[in-house]
Amino acid sequence: MTVTLPPYEDVVARYEPVIGLETHVELGTNTKMFCGCPTDFGGQPNTRICPVCLGLAGSLPVANKAAIEATIRIGLALNCTIATWCRFARKNYFYPDMPKNYQISQYDEPLCIDGWLDVEVDGELVRIGIERVHLEEDTGKTLHVGGATGRIHGATESLVDYNRAGIPLVEIVTKPIPGTGALAPIVARAYVTELRDVIRSLDVSDVRMEQGSLRCDVNTSLNLPGEEWGTRTETKNVNSLRSVERAVRSEIIRQASVLDAGGRIVQETRHFHEDTGDTTSGRSKETATDYRYFPEPDLVPLAPDASWVASLKESLPELPRLHRKRLQTEWGLSDLDMQSVVNAGAVELIEQTIAAGTTPEGARKWWLGELARRANETGIELAAVGASPAHVAELQRLVDEGKLNDKLARTVLEGVIAGEGTPAEIMTARGLEVVSDTGALTAAVDEAIAANPDVAEKIREGKVAAAGALIGAVMKATRGQADAKTVRELIISRLS
Ligand SMILES: [Zn+2]
């Protein structure tokens, strides 16, 4: 059955979307939330486990102080109130990757409540309300094998890896976000981006969506203007910033087509598919009563000391939005130029390149030019393109010293990306250095003059602008390695 979906612009002209985001962040603590097992990503399955995170009878959890501290710092950075007293709760549900058949989480007594995060969308600040920030433990991972898709359907076996079970997980829940209209998908993406940057600045998680240390569920509903908010769906499996935007957009269109046909939106979880960009129905959404929450009897309540919280607040770093403002001033960029740096994901890269000794212009030229182009072409993030800030700083230094011109530098950069070494190493190994030695260039200049007598005559008559043709000939003869300025001087001196 093919359903013709209404165009997005048409949908958002008739319906008002309300979005909400639930983000899970795996903390980068050394050990798990309630035991001493290591938390490193990867590793042989079921090697980072113990009786506590396997939920064996008689084992008892002990809360990880570093995880609590990290959660409070996230809460403070998001302008939340920190609870003076709160408890962990058992969230009961049966799932093979949950060894205890319950998850230790927080329910009606979260550690941090009622904050906000300002995000910039098209130059305007949008304040996103934060409902709560709470601490829980991650589940293990189920792997379905023997089928074509890696999904449970068609699989012959399901394998469970408990290495991830018990890793501290912070859940950050926004308040519902109404009133964003057609911009809802962009606001959702901007929020997750800003949240990621805030958490990265706190140095409490590596927040890598592709590795699952930052995971996002997107709630979406539609209503007609003036009417109550609609029933919301929760889209899971949203594994990149781009997918956050696509998931909201596609769910807005899907819900509109259901409503247009007189249908009803079912409260459910839906799965986002990276390949097609649409969502399919998951399970009908449990309500809180299904989880039979009750206070975790194996753990004492959490009562963070006010002076401890105050000292954590005191030690918060400069947050990303203010940091970017300061950099913009230091780098002397317009709002628009700074926006393109932010959009390219190049703020930190440029910052580090400048710290390695380059001017802001020099750093920006490479990251937003050649390297951004390559990242776009290959569909990878700028930071993963294969050149480091130190490489770029060295490359620009060689240009500034006159050892490379821009064209040669681009060739050297290709070598850096290909993993051939540092810019200086590649320049030497490939013999790419600019030739400015007059002795070495004189022969090439004389040949160019001999081969282009008409041009030479013009220059002799004082038409210096004609020298360009001869410079071009010398450049060609020296495979672009001649120093153009030296060549020009040689030509003029030989023809005057
Ligand atoms: Zn353990």
Side-chain angles (χ1 to χ4, degrees), residues 32 35-37 48-53:
K32 291 186 179 180
C35 63
C37 290
R48 291 159 188 174
I49 50 173
C50 75
V52 174
C53 56

mmCIF file of all heavy atoms in Angstrom, residues 32 35-37 48-53, ligand 1:
data_model
loop_
_atom_site.group_PDB
_atom_site.id
_atom_site.type_symbol
_atom_site.label_atom_id
_atom_site.label_comp_id
_atom_site.label_asym_id
_atom_site.label_seq_id
_atom_site.Cartn_x
_atom_site.Cartn_y
_atom_site.Cartn_z
ATOM 1 N N LYS A 32 31.725 1.307 36.886
ATOM 2 C CA LYS A 32 30.277 1.316 36.687
ATOM 3 C C LYS A 32 29.545 2.004 37.841
ATOM 4 O O LYS A 32 30.148 2.404 38.827
ATOM 5 C CB LYS A 32 29.788 -0.129 36.517
ATOM 6 C CG LYS A 32 30.243 -0.772 35.199
ATOM 7 C CD LYS A 32 29.610 -2.143 35.002
ATOM 8 C CE LYS A 32 30.068 -2.759 33.673
ATOM 9 N NZ LYS A 32 29.460 -4.100 33.451
ATOM 10 N N CYS A 35 29.146 -0.833 40.903
ATOM 11 C CA CYS A 35 30.185 -1.831 41.178
ATOM 12 C C CYS A 35 31.511 -1.305 40.644
ATOM 13 O O CYS A 35 31.574 -0.209 40.094
ATOM 14 C CB CYS A 35 29.839 -3.176 40.528
ATOM 15 S SG CYS A 35 29.769 -3.111 38.722
ATOM 16 N N GLY A 36 32.576 -2.073 40.778
ATOM 17 C CA GLY A 36 33.902 -1.590 40.393
ATOM 18 C C GLY A 36 34.350 -2.026 39.006
ATOM 19 O O GLY A 36 35.524 -1.884 38.653
ATOM 20 N N CYS A 37 33.418 -2.547 38.179
ATOM 21 C CA CYS A 37 33.803 -3.012 36.842
ATOM 22 C C CYS A 37 34.200 -1.840 35.949
ATOM 23 O O CYS A 37 33.605 -0.766 36.046
ATOM 24 C CB CYS A 37 32.646 -3.757 36.186
ATOM 25 S SG CYS A 37 32.304 -5.339 36.964
ATOM 26 N N ARG A 48 33.649 -7.605 31.294
ATOM 27 C CA ARG A 48 33.667 -6.512 32.274
ATOM 28 C C ARG A 48 32.426 -6.620 33.138
ATOM 29 O O ARG A 48 31.515 -5.784 33.040
ATOM 30 C CB ARG A 48 33.742 -5.173 31.537
ATOM 31 C CG ARG A 48 35.093 -5.016 30.872
ATOM 32 C CD ARG A 48 35.125 -4.032 29.771
ATOM 33 N NE ARG A 48 36.432 -4.122 29.081
ATOM 34 C CZ ARG A 48 36.740 -3.469 27.990
ATOM 35 N NH1 ARG A 48 35.877 -2.655 27.457
ATOM 36 N NH2 ARG A 48 37.920 -3.616 27.434
ATOM 37 N N ILE A 49 32.369 -7.677 33.894
ATOM 38 C CA ILE A 49 31.168 -7.987 34.668
ATOM 39 C C ILE A 49 31.553 -8.549 36.031
ATOM 40 O O ILE A 49 32.683 -9.003 36.211
ATOM 41 C CB ILE A 49 30.288 -9.032 33.930
ATOM 42 C CG1 ILE A 49 31.144 -10.234 33.501
ATOM 43 C CG2 ILE A 49 29.587 -8.412 32.743
ATOM 44 C CD1 ILE A 49 30.353 -11.383 32.916
ATOM 45 N N CYS A 50 30.602 -8.476 36.969
ATOM 46 C CA CYS A 50 30.821 -9.029 38.304
ATOM 47 C C CYS A 50 29.456 -9.392 38.877
ATOM 48 O O CYS A 50 28.426 -9.131 38.245
ATOM 49 C CB CYS A 50 31.537 -7.999 39.181
ATOM 50 S SG CYS A 50 30.465 -6.663 39.735
ATOM 51 N N PRO A 51 29.410 -9.997 40.055
ATOM 52 C CA PRO A 51 28.101 -10.391 40.605
ATOM 53 C C PRO A 51 27.107 -9.234 40.726
ATOM 54 O O PRO A 51 25.905 -9.418 40.532
ATOM 55 C CB PRO A 51 28.476 -10.948 41.988
ATOM 56 C CG PRO A 51 29.857 -11.484 41.809
ATOM 57 C CD PRO A 51 30.530 -10.516 40.864
ATOM 58 N N VAL A 52 27.607 -8.008 41.004
ATOM 59 C CA VAL A 52 26.668 -6.889 41.187
ATOM 60 C C VAL A 52 25.997 -6.520 39.863
ATOM 61 O O VAL A 52 24.764 -6.459 39.764
ATOM 62 C CB VAL A 52 27.382 -5.649 41.791
ATOM 63 C CG1 VAL A 52 26.440 -4.445 41.842
ATOM 64 C CG2 VAL A 52 27.918 -5.967 43.175
ATOM 65 N N CYS A 53 26.815 -6.306 38.799
ATOM 66 C CA CYS A 53 26.188 -5.877 37.544
ATOM 67 C C CYS A 53 25.549 -7.044 36.799
ATOM 68 O O CYS A 53 24.809 -6.836 35.840
ATOM 69 C CB CYS A 53 27.144 -5.074 36.673
ATOM 70 S SG CYS A 53 28.688 -5.873 36.257
HETATM 71 ZN ZN ZN B 1 30.206 -5.193 37.895
#
